[in-house]
Amino acid sequence: MSTARPDENADRATPDALLHTRTGTEVAPEDVVLAAGRDVTPESLEWARRKIKTEGAAALEKLLP
C-alpha cells in the first residue's frame, strides 16, 4: 500500500500567462534549439541563429505547439 499523496497541483491548470512563449525579451538561439528537440551544439546554435535572423521571433513560435 502506497503512502504517497497524489500531486496536489495535478488538477490545477497552468496560468495563461505562463503558456505564452513571448516574454518581451529576445529569442535566444538556445531556446530555438531546445524547442526543436535538438541537442545544443555549435552547429545547432548556428542553425538557430540563421533561423532567428530570417524569421525573427516567429522562429520559436513556429516550433511550439
Side-chain angles (χ1 to χ4, degrees):
M1 176 182 246
S2 174
T3 59
R5 294 185 318 162
D7 185 357
E8 294 174 2
N9 296 322
D11 292 330
R12 292 184 4 185
T14 301
D16 190 51
L18 296 178
L19 296 175
H20 298 285
T21 58
R22 295 290 299 156
T23 61
T25 61
E26 291 186 32
V27 174
E30 291 84 356
D31 296 333
V32 174
V33 169
L34 294 173
R38 297 181 177 195
D39 290 330
V40 178
T41 64
E43 294 80 14
S44 64
L45 289 172
E46 184 56 36
W47 165 81
R49 287 185 192 98
R50 288 192 309 270
K51 190 166 180 63
I52 292 168
K53 186 176 181 178
T54 59
E55 299 177 20
L60 182 59
E61 298 293 331
K62 291 178 180 180
L63 293 169
L64 299 174

Short mmCIF file of all heavy atoms in Angstrom, two decimals:
data_model
loop_
_atom_site.label_atom_id
_atom_site.label_comp_id
_atom_site.label_asym_id
_atom_site.label_seq_id
_atom_site.Cartn_x
_atom_site.Cartn_y
_atom_site.Cartn_z
N MET A 1 0.84 -1.17 0.00
CA MET A 1 0.00 0.00 0.00
C MET A 1 0.89 1.24 0.00
O MET A 1 1.78 1.37 0.81
CB MET A 1 -0.91 -0.03 1.23
CG MET A 1 -1.75 1.21 1.36
SD MET A 1 -2.75 1.13 2.84
CE MET A 1 -4.33 1.05 2.11
N SER A 2 0.65 2.15 -0.92
CA SER A 2 1.45 3.36 -1.04
C SER A 2 0.95 4.44 -0.09
O SER A 2 -0.24 4.64 0.07
CB SER A 2 1.39 3.87 -2.48
OG SER A 2 2.06 5.09 -2.57
N THR A 3 1.89 5.12 0.51
CA THR A 3 1.53 6.24 1.38
C THR A 3 1.76 7.58 0.69
O THR A 3 1.56 8.62 1.28
CB THR A 3 2.35 6.20 2.68
OG1 THR A 3 3.72 6.27 2.35
CG2 THR A 3 2.03 4.95 3.48
N ALA A 4 2.18 7.54 -0.56
CA ALA A 4 2.44 8.78 -1.30
C ALA A 4 1.13 9.49 -1.61
O ALA A 4 0.14 8.86 -1.98
CB ALA A 4 3.18 8.47 -2.59
N ARG A 5 1.16 10.80 -1.43
CA ARG A 5 -0.03 11.60 -1.76
C ARG A 5 0.02 11.98 -3.23
O ARG A 5 1.08 12.25 -3.77
CB ARG A 5 -0.05 12.88 -0.93
CG ARG A 5 -0.23 12.63 0.53
CD ARG A 5 -0.37 13.92 1.31
NE ARG A 5 0.57 14.94 0.87
CZ ARG A 5 0.45 16.23 1.14
NH1 ARG A 5 -0.57 16.66 1.84
NH2 ARG A 5 1.33 17.10 0.73
N PRO A 6 -1.14 12.02 -3.86
CA PRO A 6 -1.15 12.48 -5.25
C PRO A 6 -0.65 13.92 -5.31
O PRO A 6 -0.80 14.67 -4.36
CB PRO A 6 -2.61 12.38 -5.67
CG PRO A 6 -3.34 11.76 -4.55
CD PRO A 6 -2.44 11.67 -3.38
N ASP A 7 -0.07 14.29 -6.42
CA ASP A 7 0.41 15.65 -6.58
C ASP A 7 -0.75 16.63 -6.42
O ASP A 7 -1.74 16.56 -7.13
CB ASP A 7 1.04 15.82 -7.96
CG ASP A 7 1.67 17.18 -8.15
OD1 ASP A 7 1.60 18.04 -7.26
OD2 ASP A 7 2.25 17.37 -9.22
N GLU A 8 -0.62 17.51 -5.47
CA GLU A 8 -1.70 18.45 -5.17
C GLU A 8 -1.95 19.41 -6.33
O GLU A 8 -3.03 19.97 -6.44
CB GLU A 8 -1.37 19.23 -3.90
CG GLU A 8 -1.35 18.36 -2.67
CD GLU A 8 -0.89 19.11 -1.44
OE1 GLU A 8 -0.62 20.32 -1.54
OE2 GLU A 8 -0.79 18.48 -0.38
N ASN A 9 -0.97 19.62 -7.18
CA ASN A 9 -1.12 20.56 -8.30
C ASN A 9 -1.55 19.87 -9.59
O ASN A 9 -1.69 20.52 -10.61
CB ASN A 9 0.20 21.30 -8.54
CG ASN A 9 0.56 22.17 -7.37
OD1 ASN A 9 -0.31 22.77 -6.75
ND2 ASN A 9 1.84 22.23 -7.05
N ALA A 10 -1.75 18.59 -9.58
CA ALA A 10 -2.03 17.84 -10.80
C ALA A 10 -3.31 18.29 -11.48
O ALA A 10 -3.42 18.24 -12.70
CB ALA A 10 -2.10 16.35 -10.51
N ASP A 11 -4.30 18.74 -10.73
CA ASP A 11 -5.57 19.13 -11.33
C ASP A 11 -5.68 20.62 -11.60
O ASP A 11 -6.70 21.07 -12.10
CB ASP A 11 -6.73 18.70 -10.41
CG ASP A 11 -6.87 17.19 -10.35
OD1 ASP A 11 -6.53 16.53 -11.35
OD2 ASP A 11 -7.29 16.68 -9.31
N ARG A 12 -4.65 21.36 -11.26
CA ARG A 12 -4.70 22.80 -11.50
C ARG A 12 -4.18 23.12 -12.88
O ARG A 12 -3.18 22.56 -13.33
CB ARG A 12 -3.88 23.53 -10.45
CG ARG A 12 -4.52 23.40 -9.09
CD ARG A 12 -3.87 24.16 -8.00
NE ARG A 12 -2.75 25.00 -8.38
CZ ARG A 12 -2.01 25.65 -7.52
NH1 ARG A 12 -2.24 25.53 -6.24
NH2 ARG A 12 -1.00 26.40 -7.91
N ALA A 13 -4.84 24.03 -13.55
CA ALA A 13 -4.41 24.43 -14.89
C ALA A 13 -3.23 25.39 -14.81
O ALA A 13 -3.09 26.15 -13.86
CB ALA A 13 -5.56 25.10 -15.62
N THR A 14 -2.40 25.36 -15.83
CA THR A 14 -1.30 26.30 -15.91
C THR A 14 -1.87 27.68 -16.23
O THR A 14 -2.68 27.80 -17.14
CB THR A 14 -0.32 25.89 -17.02
OG1 THR A 14 0.15 24.57 -16.73
CG2 THR A 14 0.84 26.85 -17.13
N PRO A 15 -1.47 28.70 -15.51
CA PRO A 15 -1.97 30.05 -15.79
C PRO A 15 -1.67 30.46 -17.23
O PRO A 15 -0.60 30.17 -17.76
CB PRO A 15 -1.23 30.94 -14.80
CG PRO A 15 -0.77 30.02 -13.72
CD PRO A 15 -0.55 28.69 -14.37
N ASP A 16 -2.60 31.15 -17.84
CA ASP A 16 -2.47 31.54 -19.24
C ASP A 16 -1.18 32.32 -19.50
O ASP A 16 -0.53 32.13 -20.52
CB ASP A 16 -3.68 32.37 -19.66
CG ASP A 16 -3.72 32.60 -21.15
OD1 ASP A 16 -3.60 31.62 -21.91
OD2 ASP A 16 -3.84 33.78 -21.56
N ALA A 17 -0.80 33.17 -18.59
CA ALA A 17 0.40 33.98 -18.79
C ALA A 17 1.66 33.12 -18.94
O ALA A 17 2.62 33.53 -19.59
CB ALA A 17 0.57 34.96 -17.63
N LEU A 18 1.65 31.93 -18.36
CA LEU A 18 2.81 31.05 -18.46
C LEU A 18 2.82 30.23 -19.75
O LEU A 18 3.83 29.62 -20.08
CB LEU A 18 2.86 30.11 -17.26
CG LEU A 18 3.07 30.77 -15.91
CD1 LEU A 18 3.04 29.72 -14.81
CD2 LEU A 18 4.36 31.56 -15.88
N LEU A 19 1.73 30.23 -20.47
CA LEU A 19 1.64 29.44 -21.69
C LEU A 19 2.18 30.17 -22.91
O LEU A 19 2.41 29.57 -23.94
CB LEU A 19 0.19 29.02 -21.96
CG LEU A 19 -0.42 28.11 -20.90
CD1 LEU A 19 -1.89 27.87 -21.21
CD2 LEU A 19 0.32 26.80 -20.83
N HIS A 20 2.37 31.46 -22.80
CA HIS A 20 2.87 32.24 -23.92
C HIS A 20 4.39 32.21 -23.94
O HIS A 20 5.03 32.32 -22.91
CB HIS A 20 2.37 33.68 -23.83
CG HIS A 20 0.88 33.76 -23.89
ND1 HIS A 20 0.19 33.61 -25.06
CD2 HIS A 20 -0.04 33.94 -22.93
CE1 HIS A 20 -1.11 33.71 -24.82
NE2 HIS A 20 -1.27 33.91 -23.53
N THR A 21 4.95 32.08 -25.13
CA THR A 21 6.40 31.98 -25.23
C THR A 21 7.06 33.34 -25.23
O THR A 21 8.20 33.46 -24.85
CB THR A 21 6.81 31.23 -26.50
OG1 THR A 21 6.27 31.91 -27.63
CG2 THR A 21 6.34 29.80 -26.45
N ARG A 22 6.38 34.35 -25.67
CA ARG A 22 6.98 35.69 -25.72
C ARG A 22 6.95 36.33 -24.35
O ARG A 22 5.91 36.45 -23.73
CB ARG A 22 6.25 36.57 -26.72
CG ARG A 22 6.37 36.10 -28.15
CD ARG A 22 7.74 36.27 -28.72
NE ARG A 22 8.06 37.68 -28.70
CZ ARG A 22 9.28 38.15 -28.68
NH1 ARG A 22 10.30 37.35 -28.67
NH2 ARG A 22 9.50 39.43 -28.66
N THR A 23 8.10 36.73 -23.88
CA THR A 23 8.19 37.36 -22.58
C THR A 23 8.62 38.81 -22.69
O THR A 23 8.93 39.44 -21.69
CB THR A 23 9.20 36.61 -21.69
OG1 THR A 23 10.48 36.68 -22.32
CG2 THR A 23 8.78 35.18 -21.45
N GLY A 24 8.67 39.33 -23.89
CA GLY A 24 9.14 40.68 -24.09
C GLY A 24 10.65 40.74 -24.26
O GLY A 24 11.21 41.81 -24.42
N THR A 25 11.29 39.61 -24.22
CA THR A 25 12.73 39.56 -24.42
C THR A 25 13.02 38.93 -25.77
O THR A 25 12.15 38.32 -26.39
CB THR A 25 13.42 38.74 -23.31
OG1 THR A 25 12.92 37.41 -23.35
CG2 THR A 25 13.17 39.35 -21.94
N GLU A 26 14.25 39.06 -26.19
CA GLU A 26 14.64 38.47 -27.46
C GLU A 26 14.66 36.95 -27.36
O GLU A 26 14.87 36.39 -26.30
CB GLU A 26 16.02 38.97 -27.86
CG GLU A 26 16.04 40.43 -28.24
CD GLU A 26 17.39 40.85 -28.77
OE1 GLU A 26 18.07 40.03 -29.41
OE2 GLU A 26 17.75 42.00 -28.54
N VAL A 27 14.45 36.32 -28.48
CA VAL A 27 14.51 34.86 -28.55
C VAL A 27 15.98 34.46 -28.64
O VAL A 27 16.73 34.95 -29.48
CB VAL A 27 13.74 34.35 -29.79
CG1 VAL A 27 13.92 32.85 -29.95
CG2 VAL A 27 12.28 34.71 -29.68
N ALA A 28 16.39 33.57 -27.75
CA ALA A 28 17.78 33.10 -27.73
C ALA A 28 17.93 31.88 -28.63
O ALA A 28 17.01 31.06 -28.72
CB ALA A 28 18.19 32.75 -26.30
N PRO A 29 19.07 31.75 -29.28
CA PRO A 29 19.32 30.55 -30.10
C PRO A 29 19.12 29.26 -29.31
O PRO A 29 18.59 28.28 -29.84
CB PRO A 29 20.76 30.72 -30.56
CG PRO A 29 21.00 32.19 -30.52
CD PRO A 29 20.19 32.69 -29.36
N GLU A 30 19.52 29.25 -28.04
CA GLU A 30 19.34 28.05 -27.22
C GLU A 30 17.87 27.67 -27.09
O GLU A 30 17.53 26.49 -27.10
CB GLU A 30 19.95 28.28 -25.82
CG GLU A 30 21.44 28.38 -25.81
CD GLU A 30 21.97 29.79 -26.12
OE1 GLU A 30 21.16 30.70 -26.42
OE2 GLU A 30 23.19 29.97 -26.06
N ASP A 31 17.00 28.67 -27.00
CA ASP A 31 15.56 28.40 -26.90
C ASP A 31 15.05 27.72 -28.16
O ASP A 31 14.25 26.79 -28.10
CB ASP A 31 14.78 29.70 -26.67
CG ASP A 31 15.11 30.36 -25.35
OD1 ASP A 31 15.50 29.64 -24.41
OD2 ASP A 31 14.97 31.59 -25.27
N VAL A 32 15.50 28.20 -29.31
CA VAL A 32 15.06 27.64 -30.59
C VAL A 32 15.57 26.20 -30.72
O VAL A 32 14.82 25.31 -31.14
CB VAL A 32 15.53 28.52 -31.77
CG1 VAL A 32 15.20 27.86 -33.10
CG2 VAL A 32 14.89 29.91 -31.68
N VAL A 33 16.81 25.98 -30.36
CA VAL A 33 17.39 24.63 -30.45
C VAL A 33 16.60 23.66 -29.57
O VAL A 33 16.21 22.57 -30.03
CB VAL A 33 18.89 24.64 -30.05
CG1 VAL A 33 19.43 23.23 -29.88
CG2 VAL A 33 19.70 25.41 -31.07
N LEU A 34 16.34 24.04 -28.34
CA LEU A 34 15.62 23.16 -27.43
C LEU A 34 14.17 22.95 -27.87
O LEU A 34 13.65 21.84 -27.76
CB LEU A 34 15.69 23.71 -26.00
CG LEU A 34 17.09 23.72 -25.39
CD1 LEU A 34 17.08 24.43 -24.05
CD2 LEU A 34 17.64 22.32 -25.26
N ALA A 35 13.53 23.99 -28.38
CA ALA A 35 12.15 23.85 -28.86
C ALA A 35 12.08 22.90 -30.06
O ALA A 35 11.07 22.23 -30.27
CB ALA A 35 11.57 25.21 -29.23
N ALA A 36 13.17 22.84 -30.82
CA ALA A 36 13.21 21.95 -31.98
C ALA A 36 13.55 20.52 -31.57
O ALA A 36 13.54 19.62 -32.41
CB ALA A 36 14.24 22.45 -32.99
N GLY A 37 13.87 20.31 -30.29
CA GLY A 37 14.20 18.97 -29.83
C GLY A 37 15.61 18.55 -30.18
O GLY A 37 15.92 17.37 -30.19
N ARG A 38 16.45 19.51 -30.45
CA ARG A 38 17.84 19.22 -30.82
C ARG A 38 18.76 19.37 -29.62
O ARG A 38 18.43 20.06 -28.66
CB ARG A 38 18.31 20.17 -31.93
CG ARG A 38 17.55 20.03 -33.21
CD ARG A 38 18.09 20.98 -34.23
NE ARG A 38 17.42 20.84 -35.51
CZ ARG A 38 17.87 21.32 -36.65
NH1 ARG A 38 18.99 22.02 -36.68
NH2 ARG A 38 17.20 21.15 -37.76
N ASP A 39 19.92 18.78 -29.72
CA ASP A 39 20.96 18.98 -28.71
C ASP A 39 21.62 20.33 -28.96
O ASP A 39 21.75 20.76 -30.11
CB ASP A 39 22.03 17.89 -28.79
CG ASP A 39 21.51 16.54 -28.34
OD1 ASP A 39 20.61 16.51 -27.47
OD2 ASP A 39 22.00 15.52 -28.86
N VAL A 40 22.03 20.99 -27.89
CA VAL A 40 22.73 22.26 -28.02
C VAL A 40 24.18 21.97 -28.39
O VAL A 40 24.96 21.48 -27.58
CB VAL A 40 22.64 23.08 -26.70
CG1 VAL A 40 23.41 24.38 -26.83
CG2 VAL A 40 21.19 23.35 -26.34
N THR A 41 24.49 22.24 -29.64
CA THR A 41 25.84 22.06 -30.17
C THR A 41 26.19 23.34 -30.94
O THR A 41 25.30 24.13 -31.27
CB THR A 41 25.92 20.86 -31.13
OG1 THR A 41 25.10 21.14 -32.27
CG2 THR A 41 25.47 19.57 -30.46
N PRO A 42 27.45 23.53 -31.25
CA PRO A 42 27.79 24.71 -32.06
C PRO A 42 27.03 24.75 -33.39
O PRO A 42 26.58 25.80 -33.84
CB PRO A 42 29.30 24.57 -32.29
CG PRO A 42 29.77 23.79 -31.09
CD PRO A 42 28.65 22.82 -30.80
N GLU A 43 26.84 23.59 -33.99
CA GLU A 43 26.13 23.53 -35.27
C GLU A 43 24.66 23.88 -35.12
O GLU A 43 24.09 24.61 -35.94
CB GLU A 43 26.28 22.14 -35.90
CG GLU A 43 27.69 21.79 -36.32
CD GLU A 43 28.57 21.32 -35.15
OE1 GLU A 43 28.04 21.00 -34.06
OE2 GLU A 43 29.80 21.30 -35.34
N SER A 44 24.03 23.34 -34.08
CA SER A 44 22.60 23.62 -33.89
C SER A 44 22.38 25.07 -33.48
O SER A 44 21.38 25.69 -33.86
CB SER A 44 21.97 22.66 -32.89
OG SER A 44 22.52 22.84 -31.59
N LEU A 45 23.31 25.64 -32.73
CA LEU A 45 23.19 27.06 -32.37
C LEU A 45 23.32 27.95 -33.60
O LEU A 45 22.61 28.94 -33.73
CB LEU A 45 24.24 27.42 -31.32
CG LEU A 45 24.00 26.84 -29.93
CD1 LEU A 45 25.21 27.10 -29.04
CD2 LEU A 45 22.74 27.41 -29.31
N GLU A 46 24.21 27.59 -34.50
CA GLU A 46 24.36 28.36 -35.74
C GLU A 46 23.09 28.25 -36.58
O GLU A 46 22.62 29.23 -37.16
CB GLU A 46 25.58 27.90 -36.53
CG GLU A 46 25.84 28.73 -37.77
CD GLU A 46 25.98 30.21 -37.47
OE1 GLU A 46 26.54 30.58 -36.42
OE2 GLU A 46 25.51 31.02 -38.31
N TRP A 47 22.50 27.05 -36.65
CA TRP A 47 21.24 26.85 -37.36
C TRP A 47 20.16 27.76 -36.76
O TRP A 47 19.41 28.42 -37.48
CB TRP A 47 20.82 25.38 -37.26
CG TRP A 47 19.40 25.14 -37.63
CD1 TRP A 47 18.90 25.02 -38.90
CD2 TRP A 47 18.29 25.00 -36.75
NE1 TRP A 47 17.54 24.82 -38.85
CE2 TRP A 47 17.14 24.80 -37.53
CE3 TRP A 47 18.16 25.03 -35.36
CZ2 TRP A 47 15.88 24.64 -36.98
CZ3 TRP A 47 16.90 24.86 -34.81
CH2 TRP A 47 15.79 24.67 -35.62
N ALA A 48 20.11 27.80 -35.44
CA ALA A 48 19.11 28.62 -34.75
C ALA A 48 19.34 30.11 -35.01
O ALA A 48 18.39 30.86 -35.21
CB ALA A 48 19.12 28.32 -33.26
N ARG A 49 20.58 30.54 -35.01
CA ARG A 49 20.88 31.95 -35.30
C ARG A 49 20.40 32.34 -36.69
O ARG A 49 19.83 33.42 -36.89
CB ARG A 49 22.38 32.22 -35.15
CG ARG A 49 22.85 32.24 -33.72
CD ARG A 49 24.33 32.63 -33.63
NE ARG A 49 24.81 32.35 -32.29
CZ ARG A 49 25.49 31.28 -31.92
NH1 ARG A 49 25.81 30.35 -32.81
NH2 ARG A 49 25.87 31.12 -30.68
N ARG A 50 20.65 31.45 -37.66
CA ARG A 50 20.18 31.73 -39.03
C ARG A 50 18.66 31.79 -39.07
O ARG A 50 18.08 32.66 -39.73
CB ARG A 50 20.70 30.67 -40.00
CG ARG A 50 22.18 30.76 -40.29
CD ARG A 50 22.60 29.87 -41.47
NE ARG A 50 22.15 28.50 -41.34
CZ ARG A 50 22.82 27.52 -40.75
NH1 ARG A 50 24.00 27.76 -40.22
NH2 ARG A 50 22.34 26.31 -40.70
N LYS A 51 18.02 30.87 -38.37
CA LYS A 51 16.56 30.82 -38.34
C LYS A 51 15.99 32.09 -37.71
O LYS A 51 15.04 32.68 -38.22
CB LYS A 51 16.11 29.58 -37.57
CG LYS A 51 14.65 29.25 -37.66
CD LYS A 51 14.43 27.83 -37.15
CE LYS A 51 12.99 27.42 -37.21
NZ LYS A 51 12.44 27.38 -38.56
N ILE A 52 16.58 32.54 -36.62
CA ILE A 52 16.12 33.76 -35.96
C ILE A 52 16.35 34.97 -36.87
O ILE A 52 15.50 35.87 -36.95
CB ILE A 52 16.83 33.94 -34.60
CG1 ILE A 52 16.38 32.86 -33.62
CG2 ILE A 52 16.58 35.33 -34.03
CD1 ILE A 52 17.21 32.78 -32.36
N LYS A 53 17.47 34.99 -37.57
CA LYS A 53 17.78 36.10 -38.46
C LYS A 53 16.76 36.22 -39.58
O LYS A 53 16.35 37.32 -39.95
CB LYS A 53 19.19 35.95 -39.03
CG LYS A 53 19.64 37.12 -39.86
CD LYS A 53 21.07 36.97 -40.31
CE LYS A 53 21.48 38.20 -41.12
NZ LYS A 53 22.87 38.10 -41.54
N THR A 54 16.32 35.09 -40.11
CA THR A 54 15.37 35.14 -41.23
C THR A 54 13.91 35.21 -40.78
O THR A 54 13.10 35.83 -41.46
CB THR A 54 15.54 33.91 -42.16
OG1 THR A 54 15.33 32.72 -41.41
CG2 THR A 54 16.92 33.90 -42.79
N GLU A 55 13.58 34.61 -39.64
CA GLU A 55 12.18 34.54 -39.21
C GLU A 55 11.85 35.42 -38.02
O GLU A 55 10.69 35.58 -37.67
CB GLU A 55 11.82 33.09 -38.87
CG GLU A 55 11.97 32.14 -40.03
CD GLU A 55 11.68 30.71 -39.64
OE1 GLU A 55 11.02 30.47 -38.62
OE2 GLU A 55 12.13 29.81 -40.37
N GLY A 56 12.85 35.95 -37.36
CA GLY A 56 12.62 36.76 -36.16
C GLY A 56 12.08 35.90 -35.04
O GLY A 56 12.33 34.71 -34.95
N ALA A 57 11.27 36.54 -34.16
CA ALA A 57 10.72 35.83 -33.00
C ALA A 57 9.82 34.68 -33.42
O ALA A 57 9.62 33.73 -32.66
CB ALA A 57 9.97 36.80 -32.12
N ALA A 58 9.28 34.73 -34.61
CA ALA A 58 8.40 33.66 -35.10
C ALA A 58 9.15 32.33 -35.22
O ALA A 58 8.53 31.27 -35.24
CB ALA A 58 7.80 34.03 -36.45
N ALA A 59 10.48 32.39 -35.26
CA ALA A 59 11.27 31.15 -35.33
C ALA A 59 10.93 30.22 -34.18
O ALA A 59 10.83 29.02 -34.36
CB ALA A 59 12.77 31.47 -35.35
N LEU A 60 10.76 30.78 -33.01
CA LEU A 60 10.41 29.98 -31.84
C LEU A 60 8.93 29.60 -31.86
O LEU A 60 8.57 28.46 -31.60
CB LEU A 60 10.74 30.74 -30.55
CG LEU A 60 10.49 30.01 -29.25
CD1 LEU A 60 11.28 28.72 -29.17
CD2 LEU A 60 10.83 30.91 -28.08
N GLU A 61 8.09 30.54 -32.19
CA GLU A 61 6.63 30.29 -32.21
C GLU A 61 6.26 29.15 -33.17
O GLU A 61 5.38 28.36 -32.88
CB GLU A 61 5.88 31.56 -32.61
CG GLU A 61 6.06 32.70 -31.65
CD GLU A 61 5.42 32.46 -30.29
OE1 GLU A 61 4.43 31.72 -30.22
OE2 GLU A 61 5.93 33.01 -29.32
N LYS A 62 6.95 29.08 -34.29
CA LYS A 62 6.63 28.05 -35.28
C LYS A 62 6.98 26.64 -34.81
O LYS A 62 6.43 25.67 -35.29
CB LYS A 62 7.39 28.33 -36.59
CG LYS A 62 6.88 29.54 -37.32
CD LYS A 62 7.70 29.78 -38.56
CE LYS A 62 7.22 31.00 -39.32
NZ LYS A 62 8.03 31.23 -40.53
N LEU A 63 7.90 26.54 -33.87
CA LEU A 63 8.33 25.24 -33.39
C LEU A 63 7.47 24.71 -32.24
O LEU A 63 7.50 23.52 -31.95
CB LEU A 63 9.78 25.32 -32.91
CG LEU A 63 10.80 25.56 -34.01
CD1 LEU A 63 12.16 25.88 -33.40
CD2 LEU A 63 10.90 24.36 -34.93
N LEU A 64 6.75 25.59 -31.59
CA LEU A 64 5.96 25.18 -30.43
C LEU A 64 4.54 24.85 -30.84
O LEU A 64 3.99 25.46 -31.74
CB LEU A 64 5.98 26.29 -29.37
CG LEU A 64 7.38 26.62 -28.85
CD1 LEU A 64 7.31 27.83 -27.94
CD2 LEU A 64 7.97 25.43 -28.12
N PRO A 65 3.93 23.88 -30.14
CA PRO A 65 2.55 23.51 -30.49
C PRO A 65 1.57 24.60 -30.16
O PRO A 65 1.79 25.46 -29.40
CB PRO A 65 2.29 22.28 -29.63
CG PRO A 65 3.35 22.25 -28.60
CD PRO A 65 4.47 23.11 -29.06
#
